[in-house]
Amino acid sequence: AELARRGLVHRAVSPDSILIGANGAAKLGGFGLLRSRGVNATQIEVGLDETAPYLAPELILGGAIGPAVDVYALGCVLH
């Protein structure tokens, strides 16, 4: 939620990017693909093998990037 408030999208939410602390709190790490929302996906590289199963359809099809791509990926991880 904090990323979305700042106008940023993680783009690579996957089990590998979720860190669990000693107290059980989950944190999101791995910000190598962080982008501003509204950027067209065709303008950036997409296609990382390790995150492919978690990519939102708009990333694959070259649509605009927004917070929904992170929500979609998190849903895939939780499923």
Side-chain angles (χ1 to χ4, degrees):
E2 181 62 29
L3 288 178
R5 278 193 290 271
R6 292 177 184 231
L8 301 172
V9 180
H10 188 280
R11 289 186 45 234
V13 176
S14 69
D16 292 339
S17 65
I18 299 172
L19 309 169
I20 307 295
N23 63 354
K27 304 272 182 173
L28 190 57
F31 292 95
L33 295 177
L34 189 68
R35 294 288 187 261
S36 296
R37 68 177 161 199
V39 173
N40 190 306
T42 58
Q43 298 170 338
I44 52 179
E45 68 291 338
V46 175
L48 301 173
D49 293 335
E50 63 273 8
T51 59
Y54 311 99
L55 292 178
E58 54 267 39
L59 280 177
I60 296 168
L61 298 173
I65 295 173
V69 301
D70 289 341
V71 174
Y72 179 91
L74 183 59
C76 290
V77 170
L78 293 174
H79 177 21

